[in-house]
Amino acid sequence: MHPIQAFLHDIVEAGQVTGAAALVRQGGQEIFFGSAGLRDLTAGAPFSRDTVMRMFSMSKIVTAAAVLKLCEQNILAPETPVAAILPEYAHMNVLMPDGTLRPARTKLTIQHLLTMTSGIPYPDAAPAPISQMYEKQLAALGDMRACGTRDFVRAIAQCPLCFEPGETWLYGLSADVLGGIIVAVTGMELGAFLKKTFFAPLGMVDTGFSLSEAQTARAATLYHYVADGSFAPRAEALGYGLDNSRVEMGGAGLFSTLDDFMVFGEMLRQDGAGILSPASIQHMRQNQLTENQLSTFWDAPHGYGFGYLVRTLVDESKNGQYRERVGSFGWNGMAGTTLRIDPARELTVVFGTQRVPSGSGQLLPQLMQAVDAALTPAARR
């Protein structure tokens, strides 16, 4: 059995996922597609090539690309102060170790947002009292599925930062603020701008923040992986169901398929392929973090730095479990999806499953080892 197909078969048989699929291209040519298991346990529908998935944080890669496009057009720049676009960010406070708040001394910039060094957290990972302040602001928005991107970003601005901008790295809502910036400077809804800039030109017909009836029929059920090894359908508080009324967020919320995201990944691998400039791709996949900032980046022990909303491999000697080469970059989604681009080997990998928690720490090293095993000895290097 093909090594990648064996991996897919094994994780389904072991009860790690209900279904999964993988697509691999090398040198611009498809070298593997395979799937295993079911996208819906009740209906018995197979996890197929055209299965529509919630991409969750893989949306961040698209948002980063959109910001870089606006930088190419001289509408934005990494050093642009966020408050110059979103005035509500002009007077941010920072939570101090003793629990008090003080005004931020550093202006929040686009660079801070692109590198997750803004100090803006995810609410469920924020220390008290910031988490409670987020709860209050988000509750005031009412139905999170129906509020606009700018409304969501205004709510974020009312909450303190976890540290001075630039001090360290923290995974959070930075990309969502970038979504609000895109809306503010373009005058377009986020999904409309992404469609005009990327999805339409690249033929990504199954990618967006909402689904047609036909796409809904192909959508995978999102499952919660229970401790006993069983799966239960998961309802998402932020509207990541299949309804068509949700806040369009820069950090999450896109639906897509293996083929659509492969097209996007191949565009990035090919230095922008005329959609973005090679310089923009270089900035995206270049480590942007200082040593101090890297100290809190969870992938640093495996040799990765962090570019513009993507991990990027800087030290191959620490990276035995993934078998990637220096310069490889990409990101994952909360439900187990991943995009991995290895320019040195002209390799692009898209993997999809729909389980929370994702299990990526166990599944993705196995995936990349299977990919490596599937390559010819010459192609591995």
Side-chain angles (χ1 to χ4, degrees), residues 28 31 75 101-102 118 142 150 242 254 345 371 376:
I31 63 170
I75 295 171
L101 301 177
R102 69 156 172 78
S118 65
R150 284 290 287 113
L242 301 181
L254 284 176
R345 295 191 292 177
V371 169
T376 64

mmCIF file of all heavy atoms in Angstrom, residues 28 31 75 101-102 118 142 150 242 254 345 371 376:
data_model
loop_
_atom_site.group_PDB
_atom_site.id
_atom_site.type_symbol
_atom_site.label_atom_id
_atom_site.label_comp_id
_atom_site.label_asym_id
_atom_site.label_seq_id
_atom_site.Cartn_x
_atom_site.Cartn_y
_atom_site.Cartn_z
ATOM 1 N N GLY A 28 4.943 20.819 -9.251
ATOM 2 C CA GLY A 28 3.730 21.210 -9.959
ATOM 3 C C GLY A 28 2.869 20.053 -10.419
ATOM 4 O O GLY A 28 1.785 20.276 -10.974
ATOM 5 N N ILE A 31 1.304 13.984 -7.216
ATOM 6 C CA ILE A 31 1.950 12.684 -7.014
ATOM 7 C C ILE A 31 1.147 11.786 -6.075
ATOM 8 O O ILE A 31 1.432 10.600 -5.971
ATOM 9 C CB ILE A 31 3.391 12.822 -6.497
ATOM 10 C CG1 ILE A 31 3.418 13.490 -5.111
ATOM 11 C CG2 ILE A 31 4.250 13.594 -7.492
ATOM 12 C CD1 ILE A 31 4.783 13.423 -4.451
ATOM 13 N N ILE A 75 -1.045 50.555 0.082
ATOM 14 C CA ILE A 75 -2.184 50.929 0.922
ATOM 15 C C ILE A 75 -1.835 50.695 2.389
ATOM 16 O O ILE A 75 -2.262 51.453 3.275
ATOM 17 C CB ILE A 75 -3.424 50.116 0.516
ATOM 18 C CG1 ILE A 75 -3.838 50.497 -0.906
ATOM 19 C CG2 ILE A 75 -4.582 50.344 1.488
ATOM 20 C CD1 ILE A 75 -4.923 49.618 -1.501
ATOM 21 N N LEU A 101 -3.562 47.984 35.157
ATOM 22 C CA LEU A 101 -3.460 48.344 33.746
ATOM 23 C C LEU A 101 -2.682 49.631 33.601
ATOM 24 O O LEU A 101 -2.793 50.548 34.432
ATOM 25 C CB LEU A 101 -4.851 48.510 33.130
ATOM 26 C CG LEU A 101 -5.788 47.302 33.171
ATOM 27 C CD1 LEU A 101 -7.147 47.671 32.593
ATOM 28 C CD2 LEU A 101 -5.199 46.128 32.394
ATOM 29 N N ARG A 102 -1.880 49.732 32.556
ATOM 30 C CA ARG A 102 -1.207 50.986 32.226
ATOM 31 C C ARG A 102 -1.250 51.188 30.723
ATOM 32 O O ARG A 102 -1.342 50.218 29.954
ATOM 33 C CB ARG A 102 0.232 50.996 32.730
ATOM 34 C CG ARG A 102 1.155 50.050 32.028
ATOM 35 C CD ARG A 102 2.605 50.515 32.150
ATOM 36 N NE ARG A 102 3.540 49.524 31.637
ATOM 37 C CZ ARG A 102 3.795 49.325 30.346
ATOM 38 N NH1 ARG A 102 3.141 50.039 29.424
ATOM 39 N NH2 ARG A 102 4.669 48.413 29.956
ATOM 40 N N SER A 118 1.487 41.112 19.082
ATOM 41 C CA SER A 118 0.661 42.271 19.440
ATOM 42 C C SER A 118 0.275 42.302 20.914
ATOM 43 O O SER A 118 -0.050 43.361 21.451
ATOM 44 C CB SER A 118 -0.622 42.274 18.602
ATOM 45 O OG SER A 118 -1.418 41.129 18.939
ATOM 46 N N GLY A 142 -24.008 40.487 21.023
ATOM 47 C CA GLY A 142 -25.214 39.701 20.738
ATOM 48 C C GLY A 142 -24.866 38.468 19.938
ATOM 49 O O GLY A 142 -23.925 37.745 20.267
ATOM 50 N N ARG A 150 -16.025 44.556 11.375
ATOM 51 C CA ARG A 150 -15.619 45.784 12.083
ATOM 52 C C ARG A 150 -16.188 45.812 13.487
ATOM 53 O O ARG A 150 -15.518 46.264 14.427
ATOM 54 C CB ARG A 150 -16.062 47.027 11.289
ATOM 55 C CG ARG A 150 -15.228 47.329 10.090
ATOM 56 C CD ARG A 150 -13.806 47.826 10.450
ATOM 57 N NE ARG A 150 -13.798 49.181 10.976
ATOM 58 C CZ ARG A 150 -13.475 49.516 12.219
ATOM 59 N NH1 ARG A 150 -13.178 48.582 13.113
ATOM 60 N NH2 ARG A 150 -13.460 50.769 12.602
ATOM 61 N N LEU A 242 -22.914 25.206 9.599
ATOM 62 C CA LEU A 242 -23.075 25.348 8.159
ATOM 63 C C LEU A 242 -24.054 26.444 7.779
ATOM 64 O O LEU A 242 -24.491 26.524 6.643
ATOM 65 C CB LEU A 242 -23.523 24.003 7.556
ATOM 66 C CG LEU A 242 -22.556 22.847 7.795
ATOM 67 C CD1 LEU A 242 -23.094 21.573 7.142
ATOM 68 C CD2 LEU A 242 -21.172 23.159 7.260
ATOM 69 N N LEU A 254 -13.096 30.268 7.218
ATOM 70 C CA LEU A 254 -13.196 29.870 5.811
ATOM 71 C C LEU A 254 -13.521 28.384 5.681
ATOM 72 O O LEU A 254 -13.029 27.558 6.450
ATOM 73 C CB LEU A 254 -11.893 30.153 5.072
ATOM 74 C CG LEU A 254 -11.596 31.602 4.695
ATOM 75 C CD1 LEU A 254 -10.221 31.697 4.057
ATOM 76 C CD2 LEU A 254 -12.666 32.174 3.755
ATOM 77 N N ARG A 345 12.077 21.254 -2.019
ATOM 78 C CA ARG A 345 11.728 20.009 -2.713
ATOM 79 C C ARG A 345 10.546 20.209 -3.659
ATOM 80 O O ARG A 345 9.989 19.226 -4.161
ATOM 81 C CB ARG A 345 11.423 18.917 -1.691
ATOM 82 C CG ARG A 345 12.634 18.542 -0.849
ATOM 83 C CD ARG A 345 12.383 17.290 -0.033
ATOM 84 N NE ARG A 345 11.388 17.487 1.010
ATOM 85 C CZ ARG A 345 10.946 16.518 1.818
ATOM 86 N NH1 ARG A 345 11.385 15.282 1.673
ATOM 87 N NH2 ARG A 345 10.053 16.775 2.749
ATOM 88 N N VAL A 371 4.794 11.080 3.744
ATOM 89 C CA VAL A 371 5.098 11.831 2.527
ATOM 90 C C VAL A 371 6.556 11.616 2.134
ATOM 91 O O VAL A 371 6.881 11.357 0.971
ATOM 92 C CB VAL A 371 4.803 13.333 2.726
ATOM 93 C CG1 VAL A 371 5.359 14.163 1.555
ATOM 94 C CG2 VAL A 371 3.300 13.580 2.865
ATOM 95 N N THR A 376 10.880 9.584 -4.073
ATOM 96 C CA THR A 376 12.074 8.867 -4.490
ATOM 97 C C THR A 376 13.259 9.368 -3.689
ATOM 98 O O THR A 376 13.248 10.517 -3.193
ATOM 99 C CB THR A 376 12.356 9.096 -5.976
ATOM 100 O OG1 THR A 376 12.647 10.492 -6.182
ATOM 101 C CG2 THR A 376 11.151 8.698 -6.826
#
